[in-house]
Amino acid sequence: MPTLELRKICASYGDNRILTDLDLEVADGDFVSLLGESGCGKTTTLRVVAGFLRADSGGVLLDGEDYTRRPPNRRGFGYVFQSYALFPHLNVFDNVAFGLRQRKVAREEVRRRVDEMLEVVGLAALRDRLSKSLSGGQKQRVALARALVIKPDLLLFDEPLSNLDAKLRVKMRVEIRRLQQEFKITTLYVTHDQEECFSISDKVTVMNDGVIEQFDRPEHIFSQPASPFVARFVGFENFFQLRHQGMSDGRHQLVAADGTKFEAPDRQTIPGGRLLGAVRPEAIALGPAARTGQAGEIAGSIAFRTYLGRGYQYIVQTALGDLTVNGEDQQPFATGDTVTLRVPPDRMVLLGDA
Amino acid sequence: MKRGNPALAAYVTLVYFFLLGPLFIVAAAAFSGSNFLEFPPSSLSLKWFANILAVSAFLETFIVSLQIAVLGTFLSLVIGVPAAYALSRSAVPGRGVLQAIFVSPVIVPGVVLGFSLLRFYNVQGGVPVFQTLLIGHTLIVLPYSIRVISSSLANFEPAIEEAAISLGCPRWRTFFVVVLPNIRAGVMAAFILAFITSMNNVPVSVFLTGPGVSTLPIQMLSYVENFFDPTIASLSVVLIATTAGFMFLIERTLGLSYFAR
Ligand SMILES: Nc1ncnc2c1ncn2[C@@H]1O[C@H](COP(=O)(O)OP(=O)(O)OP(=O)(O)O)[C@@H](O)[C@H]1O
Ligand SMILES: [Mg+2]
């Protein structure tokens, strides 16, 4: 199975530069996701890989072979679209058979392989139905079967689940992952849904404005974001400007502008330049006002409270600015209450602030 | 009808009266037994229907009209379908200008178009009358073809073509195996619209018809200039009935909603 490589891809629509020097590698049989906000260039990247959009410069390689100028119909990649893009005039069977017929596969074999694939995606019963008459979930299965049946070297997905309801999304993503592993297909998957992305990917690429911010395993992206952008993206909501004051007790000693002291685990390396500490709302402990003088303590007062269904979320006014903190169901604090926040040392992530 | 607004009902009745009233008068006059158009007819007869066939020019010009309409419509589709496709799918610079040019025959008065065609093709270029007529009719129906095809292409998602391409189908073949089958309804609607437009055209044809070659509407025009009998009314009834039968057949086989899709 092949490895996909993007080398210094620049791409634009007219004069509008969308991708800048984009490098990406999807290893043999891996499932890699492109995650990023709307308009950051995820679809554009996929279109360059598929050959629908010609890159201004840079290269697309599959197993070292140059695909940059190869026409899209001769790449042999499967592409699954957000809108399904089924052929409206064909029934389910003919939709799935389309790619094989283009390849002049013998009639009998087309029948065998299509029926087999319909069985795999659980659509055998709908074989003769017109594609227009299917539900969203069924359409997406047809689209998946249609892309898989040609045994593609590479499978590309552009937000394939975003038109489905929440329950079906979860079901389908498990299925996509199962099929990808069953057929061991190198996959590039675009989404802006974090949970979806983390749950099915071997590796995740976080994109921002046409450049890659971080390429890593989902667990690392979640716990060790590499930039403030990624941190914000994966749910870090509190950021402090910090100065490094050396090490003690095996921990980094940090101090904020107002003198508040913090600690962070030493497994993190200190980035050069300005230093930013990031903490998730659920990592901060919230208690009644009581100071012990330990590191990581911040005094504040509740400015705003929202109910999340499981616990409350508070906006807390502090000398370090407004912080977002999640609290338990029991004994909620009321607006105006004075409180003490504690940031546990091992929950503080240190980032360089460009 | 449910209990409606009486003012609205009166308004609708009035509209129908003005739309269908004249048709009713023509239809009634067609069955008249007298030698001139009269309403209400004083006696009833079918002799003016028989007279349509007695005037051989009607059948001859009808055949010319039919040939011109079929060929012109066909040519307009051969030119119009690829043109509409190119306009809808590519970001060609000056697309607006191109669109305007393709639609311009609708804006230029038919009389002007007819006169120019006569002058340049027939008189200066020596193109025979039939061919000049064909060029003229192709030009007047082309905008209809492009418009109708364009709107059905606008409803056809480009991603579907890309899906076909990613599955190994070359771009040119995608047009035939994926795009065309899905705009069939538009092509059909364009054909009917263009055909009817061509069959009815007077302003362009009036300049281009020459010795021995004329179209049915022009022949009807020259007939009423010379004769006042109800033959024209009878012929109108035949044409209306044919068109209605045609529409009925389409409705039965394809469904009229087929075109509204
Ligand atoms: N056909 C086009 N012509 C001009 N600009 C385009 C075109 N397609 C996309 N763009 C622009 O390119 C940028 C990146 O678009 P792209 O579709 O790659 O975003 P995306 O990351 O897929 O976003 P989304 O999550 O909304 O799908 C956007 O600013 C968009 O406006
Ligand atoms: Mg997109």
Side-chain angles (χ1 to χ4, degrees):
Chain A
M1 268 288 140
T3 299
L4 171 74
E5 257 181 285
L6 298 186
R7 286 204 193 137
K8 295 228 166 306
I9 295 284
C10 294
S12 29
Y13 290 109
D15 293 335
N16 194 4
R17 173 59 63 90
I18 309 296
L19 304 178
T20 321
D21 289 335
L22 187 110
D23 286 307
L24 180 67
E25 189 175 321
V26 185
D28 189 8
D30 256 9
F31 193 116
V32 171
S33 288
L34 286 178
L35 179 65
E37 280 162 4
S38 188
C40 74
K42 305 182 296 291
T43 299
T44 308
T45 309
L46 227 48
R47 294 176 62 80
V48 168
V49 175
F52 296 137
L53 182 67
R54 172 77 57 91
D56 302 336
S57 62
V60 179
L61 288 88
L62 195 77
D63 258 353
E65 196 178 332
D66 189 4
Y67 269 54
T68 318
R69 310 217 152 245
R70 187 180 285 224
N73 57 307
R74 299 204 358 245
R75 295 196 180 200
F77 297 168
Y79 201 122
V80 180
F81 296 84
Q82 176 177 348
S83 58
Y84 320 126
L86 299 183
F87 306 123
H89 61 301
L90 299 180
N91 65 17
V92 169
F93 182 91
D94 290 334
N95 261 279
V96 178
F98 190 91
L100 295 176
R101 289 183 177 147
Q102 296 306 317
R103 284 165 176 68
K104 309 254 184 299
V105 173
R107 218 187 159 83
E108 261 317 296
E109 196 187 340
V110 170
R111 249 189 58 174
R112 189 179 52 75
R113 280 169 67 181
V114 172
D115 280 338
E116 221 172 78
M117 188 51 70
L118 288 177
E119 204 69 55
V120 169
V121 297
L123 284 177
L126 302 177
R127 191 177 183 277
D128 299 318
R129 282 268 290 275
L130 217 52
S131 62
K132 274 184 286 202
S133 70
L134 302 177
S135 74
Q138 291 164 341
K139 279 184 186 164
Q140 199 51 280
R141 273 170 224 264
V142 177
L144 199 56
R146 186 177 68 174
L148 282 172
V149 80
I150 63 168
K151 298 191 175 136
D153 287 336
L154 182 71
L155 200 47
L156 305 169
F157 288 93
D158 193 356
E159 309 200 26
L161 307 180
S162 53
N163 288 345
L164 305 178
D165 66 54
K167 255 207 178 119
L168 198 55
R169 265 208 298 271
V170 175
K171 197 171 159 221
M172 281 297 294
R173 79 188 187 207
V174 173
E175 196 149 328
I176 287 177
R177 180 59 164 163
R178 175 179 70 79
L179 291 169
Q180 184 265 339
Q181 289 187 327
E182 187 177 325
F183 295 98
K184 299 195 178 56
I185 301 178
T186 312
T187 299
L188 188 56
Y189 187 100
V190 162
T191 176
H192 57 239
D193 183 330
Q194 249 185 72
E195 187 192 304
E196 178 181 314
C197 165
F198 286 164
S199 68
I200 55 177
S201 310
D202 294 312
K203 283 197 174 162
V204 174
T205 308
V206 182
M207 274 184 83
N208 179 26
D209 205 8
V211 299
I212 289 176
E213 293 262 341
Q214 190 171 2
F215 178 53
D216 217 331
R217 288 177 38 224
E219 294 86 345
H220 282 170
I221 291 197
F222 201 71
S223 59
Q224 288 292 314
S227 69
F229 175 85
V230 178
R232 264 190 203 96
F233 201 79
V234 298
F236 286 80
E237 294 194 35
N238 303 301
F239 295 86
F240 312 105
Q241 296 276 358
L242 300 172
R243 270 182 301 119
H244 192 228
Q245 298 212 305
M247 302 275 293
S248 81
D249 301 337
R251 289 177 181 151
H252 293 296
Q253 301 298 313
L254 306 148
V255 62
D258 73 333
T260 309
K261 288 183 163 42
F262 291 99
E263 292 181 336
D266 72 341
R267 61 184 145 82
Q268 305 188 50
T269 51
I270 298 296
R274 292 202 310 169
L275 198 57
L276 212 55
V279 188
R280 292 178 178 279
E282 65 270 22
I284 300 178
L286 179 67
R291 313 224 46 174
T292 63
Q294 279 175 342
E297 257 180 15
I298 312 164
S301 68
I302 306 283
F304 195 72
R305 186 181 84 183
T306 50
Y307 184 55
L308 296 181
R310 167 190 275 174
Y312 290 88
Q313 185 161 72
Y314 303 94
I315 306 295
V316 183
Q317 252 168 6
T318 74
L320 292 168
D322 286 354
L323 302 181
T324 308
V325 182
N326 289 2
E328 306 276 313
D329 254 339
Q330 297 89 4
Q331 298 173 327
F333 292 95
T335 305
D337 286 359
T338 58
V339 292
T340 298
L341 306 178
R342 287 185 186 79
V343 180
D346 57 340
R347 301 302 294 270
M348 169 85 86
V349 173
L350 298 178
L351 305 165
D353 185 14
Chain B
M1 218 211 257
K2 305 250 170 62
R3 207 184 327 147
N5 182 338
L8 185 66
Y11 178 71
V12 171
T13 310
L14 214 63
V15 169
Y16 273 117
F17 181 75
F18 278 109
L19 273 179
L20 300 178
L23 290 185
F24 180 70
I25 291 174
V26 168
F31 293 94
S32 158
S34 77
N35 287 345
F36 50 90
L37 273 172
E38 58 170 14
F39 182 82
S42 49
S43 61
L44 291 178
S45 148
L46 288 177
K47 65 178 174 183
W48 300 116
F49 283 92
N51 194 43
I52 298 172
L53 295 176
V55 182
S56 66
F58 281 136
L59 189 62
E60 285 158 17
T61 55
F62 174 70
I63 289 169
V64 171
S65 271
L66 208 60
Q67 286 170 332
I68 295 281
V70 169
L71 286 175
T73 300
F74 178 74
L75 283 179
S76 83
L77 287 173
V78 167
I79 302 167
V81 172
Y85 183 70
L87 283 175
S88 81
R89 285 300 183 264
S90 57
V92 270
R95 184 166 134 175
V97 177
L98 276 176
Q99 236 147 8
I101 289 174
F102 279 126
V103 187
S104 60
V106 174
I107 302 161
V108 178
V111 177
V112 175
L113 184 68
F115 178 71
S116 326
L117 286 168
L118 174 70
R119 182 109 181 69
F120 289 106
Y121 283 98
N122 194 245
V123 177
Q124 278 188 341
V127 178
V129 174
F130 185 86
Q131 279 81 342
T132 313
L133 255 180
L134 183 57
I135 294 171
H137 278 234
T138 305
L139 282 178
I140 47 171
V141 299
L142 184 60
Y144 296 98
S145 295
I146 292 185
R147 265 297 143 95
V148 174
I149 305 278
S150 289
S151 71
S152 78
L153 277 170
N155 293 329
F156 186 70
E157 210 193 327
I160 298 173
E161 289 167 62
E162 288 177 348
I165 293 170
S166 77
L167 291 167
C169 189
R171 191 166 266 289
W172 64 268
R173 202 195 301 157
T174 301
F175 178 77
F176 292 100
V177 301
V178 174
V179 180
L180 264 188
N182 284 295
I183 58 164
R184 250 186 9 236
V187 175
M188 201 65 155
F191 188 94
I192 290 172
L193 191 62
F195 182 83
I196 291 173
T197 305
S198 169
M199 281 302 270
N200 285 332
N201 182 271
V202 169
V204 173
S205 305
V206 83
F207 283 94
L208 300 178
T209 48
V213 183
S214 186
T215 64
L216 184 59
I218 303 300
Q219 172 60 33
M220 288 167 76
L221 207 61
S222 65
Y223 189 88
V224 290
E225 279 167 3
N226 301 314
F227 304 93
F228 299 102
D229 63 47
T231 310
I232 288 300
S234 309
L235 183 50
S236 302
V237 168
V238 171
L239 289 177
I240 291 169
T242 313
T243 311
F246 191 43
M247 294 311 270
F248 177 76
L249 216 67
I250 292 170
E251 162 66 27
R252 267 305 164 88
T253 51
L254 301 167
L256 273 183
S257 55
Y258 191 76
F259 298 99
R261 217 175 28 186

